[in-house]
Amino acid sequence: MAAKDKGKNPEKKSATACGFPISIFFIVVNEFCERFSYYGMRAVLVLYFKYFLRWDDDLATTIYHTFVALCYLTPIMGAIVADSWLGKFKTIVYLSIVYTVGQVVLAVSAIHDITDTNKDGTPDNLTLHVVLSMLGLALIALGTGGIKPCVSAFGGDQFQDHQEKQRGTFFSIFYLSINAGSLLSTVITPILRAQECGIYSKQKCYSLAFGVPAGLMVVSLIVFIVGSGMYIKTPPQGNIMVKVFSCIGFAIKNRFRHRTNEFPKRTHWMDWAEEKYDKLLIAQVKMVLKVLFLYIPLPMFWALFDQQGSRWTLQATNMDGNFGILTIQPDQMQTVNPILILVLVPIVDSLIYPMFAKCKINFTPLRRMTVGMFFAALAFIAAALVQIQIDRTLPKFPSSIEGQLKFINMENRALDLVAGTNKLTLDAVTANPDYLSFDKPFELIVDGVFNDSITLTPGSRNTMVIVPDTPHFKLIPFTDIDAKPEQGANAIRFFNGWSSGLNVTIGNLDFGDVSGNNMSVYVAVPKGSAQFKIQSAAEECVYTQELGFGSSFTLIIPPTFAFGSNCEQSIRPVLDIEQNNFHMAWQIPQYFLITIGEVVFSVTGLEFSYSQAPSNMKSVLQAGWLFTVAVGNIIVLIVAEAATLPDQWAEYILFASLLLVVCVIFAIMAYFYTYIDPAKIEAEFARIDPEQEEKRRNIEMARKNSTEKGIEERRSSDSSDDNKEKKQTRI
C-alpha cells in the first residue's frame, strides 16, 4: 500500500528491548489479567445463578446466554467509538473502568451476609442481590465487549512498519496470554467458589470467586495506565463500518425510490449506490456482503459451543468428580477445552491438513467449516448419551400428583407393615430401602394391631418413624429433600432415638441439639471421610463414614446407643439418595469433539473470511463474526425458555439435529460459492477508473503531508487484524 510506510510519526517511537517495544509488556499483562477476570467470572456464573440466586436450570441458562450475547454485541459499539470518537487508548481506559466497576458490583452481590438478617446463611432479600448481579453483568458486558476489538489492534499500533516479524510474534504472545488467562482462571475460580466464607454463617464463597477476578481487573487497568507514556497513540480517523452501513442504507433507499418499471434494472442491488459512492467502495461492499451471506447459518454452531459453560456445567453437578488424587469441581471441567485447544491446534495445522494435501484431497476452508459443525453436532449427541446414563443413576423423585414415603422401625424387633397395597417387613432399627409412591390417601397397618390413615402432600418425599409407645406405636412424620443435594455435597441428617438430647457436629458444621425421638436438620457435607462428633455433657462419640458426591443419608442413633469405645458401631446409616456414580471423565469425549469442531470451524472461518474481503474492511467482518456468536447465544435462551422437552437428553438431541440441518444448508451454500481474490478485483477497478485511482493517491499524499506536519496517523488496523486473526486459537 502506498501509504504503508507513512502511517507512523517517525518522531514518536516507543522504547525497545530485544527489538520489541517495551509498551507491549503492559498490553500483554493487561490482556492476561482481563481474560482471567472474564473467564474466571464466567466459569462459576451459572452455578451462582442456580445455587445462590435459587434460579432453576432453564432461567440460569437463559440469563447466562443473554449475558454472553451482550458481550459479543457490544464490540461493534466499541469499534465505532474507538475509530470515530475517542481513539483506542481512551476507549480501553474508559470502558475498563466500567468493566472494573461491574466486576466489583457482581462480587458485592454475592455476599450473602448483607441481607442475612436472621443469620441463617440464606439471603433474606434476594431481589437486592438479583438487581446488583444484573447491574454488574450489564457493566461487564459493556466493558469486555467494548474493549475487545481495541486491545489487540492497539498492541499492533506500537510497532513500526519495518517490525512486521516482531508484530507477528507479539500476536502469538498476545493470544497465548488469552489462553493462559482462560486456563488458569477456570481452574482457580471454582476452587475459590468451593471455599466457605461468611460473617455469621459459612456458605460457598461466590463473593471470593468473583472478587479475585475483580481484583485482577483492577490490576489490568492499573498496568495499562502505567504504560501510558510509552504508547504510540493514533487519533481516531473514522470507522469503515459506518461508511459500509451508510453505503448499504443509501443503496436500499435509492432502490426503493426507483422501484417502478420506468427505471432500468441494475446488475446488483448495491449498484443503486453509484449516485453517491464510488464504484470501488461498492465493489468492496459486495465482497463483504458475499461473505456475510455465508455467516447466516453460523450462529447455530455457537449455540451449541457456548453451552459448555451452562448446560454441560449443570450436567457435571450430577456426576462423580473423583479423579484419584484430584477432585474436580463441576465448573472446572471447562478447563478441558483450552487444554485441548493448545494440543489440537498444532496437530491439526502441522499434521492433519498436510496429510489431506498429500492425499490430494481438496479440503477447502468451507469444507473444513462444514466438518467443524458436524463435530459439534456429534459432541451434543455424546452429551445426550452421557445424560441418559446420568438419568439412570438418579432416584425417581415424586411427580406433582404423588407423594413418596419411607418407614424407619425404631422397635427392637421386626415389624410387619401393610401400606395400601404394599406389604413389607422391617427389621429392628432399619428402614425399607426404597421409597413407596402413593397418589391417594392409604391405610397403614403395623403388626396387625395398629392402623392409621395416611395422606401425603403431592410432590413431597417423607420419612415415617415408628417408635414404641403405649399401648402400641407412635408415628412421627418428617419431610425429606426431594432433589439431589446441591453442588455435589451430601445431605446428612441424624435421627436421635436415644433417651436424651444429643449435640452433633462435623468440623465447623453444626446439626444442633437433637432431642429424643426427633430428627436433625440436613447439613451439606463435602466428599471425603466425614467424622461426626456426637456429644452429651462430657461424653463424646466419633462416627466416621466415607462420602462421595451427591448422596443423602439418615443416620439413626438407636435407643440402645451407649458412649464408649465401640459406640459408633451401633449407629445405622439409611441411604435416601444414591451418590453420583457416573464419572465426570465421561464428559471428556464431548469436550474433545466440540474442541475439534472449534479448531476446524473457528480458525478456518476467520482465515477464509479475511481472505475473501478487502483489506480495509476486515473490521466489518470481525464485527459480523462476533455478531454470529451473539445470535447463537440468543438461540440458546429462546430454546431454553420455549422448549417443553421433559428430559435434558432430548434437548441435547434437538440442538444436535438443528445443527445437522444447518450443516447441510451450509454445505449447499459452500458448494455454490465462488472463491475470489479481492486484491485482483481492486486492481481491476484501479485500471478501469484511473480518475478514481488518482483521487485515492491524492488522498494518500494529503495524509502523508499531514503526518510530516506532526499529526500522528493511525497505522492501518486492518493489517494487524489480519495477522491477529490468522494466529487466533480461541474465540
Side-chain angles (χ1 to χ4, degrees):
M1 184 177 290
K4 182 176 179 180
D5 56 349
K6 307 295 184 183
K8 297 277 171 49
N9 185 352
E11 297 179 2
K12 176 65 175 181
K13 293 184 179 180
S14 177
T16 61
C18 300
F20 291 87
I22 296 178
S23 57
I24 67 168
F25 166 78
F26 299 96
I27 297 173
V28 170
V29 173
N30 165 270
E31 184 67 10
F32 170 82
C33 294
E34 188 275 327
R35 289 290 87 185
F36 185 107
S37 177
Y38 174 74
Y39 283 109
M41 173 274 303
R42 211 175 95 167
V44 301
L45 188 59
V46 74
L47 298 185
Y48 169 73
F49 290 156
K50 180 175 181 179
Y51 297 125
F52 189 94
L53 299 182
R54 299 293 170 181
W55 291 347
D56 61 29
D57 288 1
D58 288 340
L59 181 57
T61 299
T62 297
I63 301 302
Y64 174 87
H65 287 284
T66 301
F67 166 70
V68 176
L70 287 175
C71 290
Y72 285 96
L73 286 174
T74 49
I76 299 175
M77 175 275 299
I80 293 175
V81 169
D83 290 345
S84 304
W85 181 26
L86 294 177
K88 297 187 189 75
F89 176 77
K90 289 183 178 179
T91 300
I92 294 171
V93 171
Y94 294 161
L95 290 181
S96 291
I97 294 173
V98 173
Y99 191 170
T100 304
V101 172
Q103 288 280 30
V104 172
V105 170
L106 182 62
V108 171
S109 76
I111 302 175
H112 65 273
D113 291 307
I114 60 178
T115 62
D116 186 13
T117 55
N118 58 5
K119 303 179 182 180
D120 64 348
T122 303
D124 298 318
N125 184 4
L126 271 180
T127 302
L128 175 62
H129 292 275
V130 170
V131 170
L132 288 175
S133 299
M134 296 304 100
L135 175 61
L137 290 175
L139 294 175
I140 292 170
L142 178 62
T144 187
I147 68 175
K148 191 184 294 288
C150 302
V151 179
S152 56
F154 185 71
D157 286 346
Q158 307 311 303
F159 294 87
Q160 301 296 320
D161 290 320
H162 65 275
Q163 295 178 301
E164 289 293 335
K165 181 178 179 181
Q166 290 90 335
R167 184 186 292 118
T169 303
F170 160 73
F171 283 121
S172 296
I173 298 172
F174 184 83
Y175 282 100
L176 177 62
S177 71
I178 291 177
N179 284 292
S182 168
L183 179 60
L184 288 176
S185 64
T186 48
V187 171
I188 294 173
T189 52
I191 296 175
L192 300 177
R193 174 194 63 80
Q195 306 304 308
E196 294 187 341
C197 60
I199 300 174
Y200 307 119
S201 61
K202 303 297 183 182
Q203 302 294 329
K204 295 298 182 182
C205 205
Y206 289 98
S207 56
L208 180 62
F210 291 143
V212 170
L216 264 292
M217 196 57 221
V218 173
V219 173
S220 172
L221 177 59
I222 292 174
V223 168
F224 186 75
I225 293 176
V226 166
S228 175
M230 303 182 187
Y231 298 140
I232 296 175
K233 303 170 187 175
T234 57
Q237 294 182 345
N239 187 276
I240 190 64
M241 283 191 290
V242 176
K243 184 180 291 187
V244 169
F245 291 148
S246 299
C247 182
I248 294 173
F250 180 80
I252 295 173
K253 183 168 60 175
N254 198 33
R255 177 68 184 90
F256 182 77
R257 288 173 180 171
H258 302 83
R259 61 186 181 275
T260 59
N261 293 331
E262 60 182 285
F263 298 100
K265 293 183 178 180
R266 300 187 183 182
T267 306
H268 192 280
W269 62 271
M270 275 301 303
D271 293 334
W272 289 96
E274 290 179 351
E275 283 82 352
K276 185 176 180 180
Y277 296 92
D278 61 74
K279 293 183 178 180
L280 176 59
L281 176 63
I282 294 172
Q284 291 171 330
V285 172
K286 288 179 182 178
M287 288 184 273
V288 169
L289 290 176
K290 187 177 181 182
V291 177
L292 290 178
F293 177 71
L294 282 176
Y295 281 1
I296 293 175
L298 304 191
M300 201 64 225
F301 173 86
W302 300 114
L304 277 68
F305 179 81
D306 277 334
Q307 290 189 56
Q308 295 176 77
S310 58
R311 292 297 198 197
W312 286 14
T313 299
L314 293 172
Q315 183 186 64
T317 61
N318 290 321
M319 303 180 76
D320 180 6
N322 182 15
F323 283 79
I325 60 174
L326 292 175
T327 298
I328 302 298
Q329 300 294 328
D331 33 2
Q332 285 181 314
M333 279 301 292
Q334 299 174 60
T335 59
V336 175
N337 176 254
I339 291 173
L340 287 176
I341 282 178
L342 296 176
V343 173
L344 290 176
V345 166
I347 292 176
V348 170
D349 285 342
S350 304
L351 183 63
I352 304 299
Y353 291 159
M355 182 179 67
F356 277 111
K358 285 187 176 182
C359 295
K360 307 298 182 181
I361 298 175
N362 187 18
F363 200 31
T364 62
L366 292 180
R367 291 177 182 174
R368 296 178 190 176
M369 293 175 67
T370 305
V371 170
M373 290 184 179
F374 181 72
F375 272 109
L378 289 181
F380 264 64
I381 293 174
L385 295 175
V386 168
Q387 189 63 47
I388 290 172
Q389 296 301 318
I390 292 174
D391 291 345
R392 289 177 178 174
T393 67
L394 296 177
K396 181 182 180 298
F397 292 110
S399 66
S400 59
I401 61 172
E402 66 179 4
Q404 291 183 337
L405 186 62
K406 175 177 284 193
F407 298 96
I408 294 178
N409 173 21
M410 295 302 295
E411 279 276 9
N412 288 325
R413 62 183 179 85
L415 294 177
D416 294 321
L417 276 64
V418 178
T421 59
N422 301 284
K423 296 181 181 181
L424 59 155
T425 299
L426 294 181
D427 292 331
V429 197
T430 59
N432 52 307
D434 299 317
Y435 283 85
L436 305 177
S437 297
F438 301 92
D439 57 4
K440 58 184 178 181
F442 64 93
E443 185 177 15
L444 174 64
I445 302 174
V446 182
D447 249 12
V449 297
F450 176 87
N451 67 290
D452 195 2
S453 180
I454 307 295
T455 301
L456 301 177
T457 302
S460 67
R461 268 192 161 197
N462 308 270
T463 292
M464 188 72 73
V465 182
I466 306 170
V467 299
D469 196 19
T470 304
H472 300 295
F473 310 101
K474 180 181 178 181
L475 303 180
I476 307 177
F478 297 97
T479 301
D480 302 353
I481 59 172
D482 56 4
K484 280 287 253 183
E486 297 178 349
Q487 306 184 62
N490 301 275
I492 308 297
R493 63 179 179 175
F494 281 81
F495 180 80
N496 180 15
W498 203 46
S499 55
S500 62
L502 296 170
N503 179 265
V504 184
T505 60
I506 174 172
N508 60 353
L509 302 176
D510 193 353
F511 291 82
D513 293 322
V514 189
S515 58
N517 286 336
N518 203 357
M519 192 81 74
S520 74
V521 296
Y522 279 106
V523 171
V525 181
K527 173 192 176 295
S529 181
Q531 290 190 331
F532 302 95
K533 292 183 179 180
I534 305 169
Q535 298 171 318
S536 176
E539 297 180 294
E540 179 179 281
C541 177
V542 177
Y543 172 73
T544 303
Q545 181 167 335
E546 289 294 330
L547 298 174
F549 290 94
S551 67
S552 178
F553 284 90
T554 298
L555 302 179
I556 302 174
I557 302 174
T560 57
F561 173 79
F563 288 99
S565 59
N566 296 319
C567 60
E568 73 279 359
Q569 295 180 4
S570 63
I571 296 175
R572 306 289 179 86
V574 174
L575 178 63
D576 296 331
I577 297 177
E578 285 274 5
Q579 69 178 22
N580 301 344
N581 50 31
F582 196 67
H583 205 275
M584 214 176 281
W586 285 104
Q587 277 197 322
I588 294 177
Q590 65 200 55
Y591 274 101
F592 178 76
L593 291 170
I594 200 76
T595 306
I596 290 180
E598 179 189 8
V599 171
V600 177
F601 175 90
S602 180
V603 178
T604 303
L606 283 166
E607 291 178 355
F608 159 77
S609 301
Y610 277 63
S611 71
Q612 297 297 288
S615 59
N616 66 331
M617 292 191 181
K618 298 185 187 300
S619 61
V620 180
L621 284 177
Q622 183 180 16
W625 183 268
L626 295 176
F627 185 74
T628 66
V629 181
V631 174
N633 282 273
I634 293 173
I635 291 173
V636 178
L637 66 92
I638 291 174
V639 173
E641 287 297 315
T644 57
L645 299 173
D647 299 307
Q648 183 58 50
W649 66 265
E651 183 179 295
Y652 290 143
I653 294 297
L654 172 63
F655 275 108
S657 301
L658 290 174
L659 184 56
L660 287 174
V661 171
V662 169
C663 185
V664 172
I665 295 173
F666 183 78
I668 296 173
M669 295 170 64
Y671 179 78
F672 290 101
Y673 181 84
T674 303
Y675 290 83
I676 60 173
D677 186 343
K680 289 184 178 180
I681 295 176
E682 291 173 329
E684 287 294 330
F685 271 90
R687 286 196 294 269
I688 293 173
D689 194 351
E691 293 182 2
Q692 187 64 36
E693 176 66 12
E694 182 64 26
K695 179 181 177 181
R696 185 179 67 83
R697 289 177 179 174
N698 290 337
I699 293 174
E700 290 177 350
M701 183 61 67
R703 289 177 179 171
K704 172 184 175 182
N705 293 336
S706 65
T707 300
E708 292 172 350
K709 291 177 182 179
I711 300 176
E712 293 180 327
E713 181 178 352
R714 184 183 63 142
R715 181 193 58 81
S716 173
S717 62
D718 305 324
S719 60
S720 69
D721 282 343
D722 198 9
N723 290 328
K724 169 184 67 174
E725 297 296 344
K726 287 184 178 180
K727 296 179 179 296
Q728 182 167 353
T729 62
R730 182 178 185 83
I731 302 301

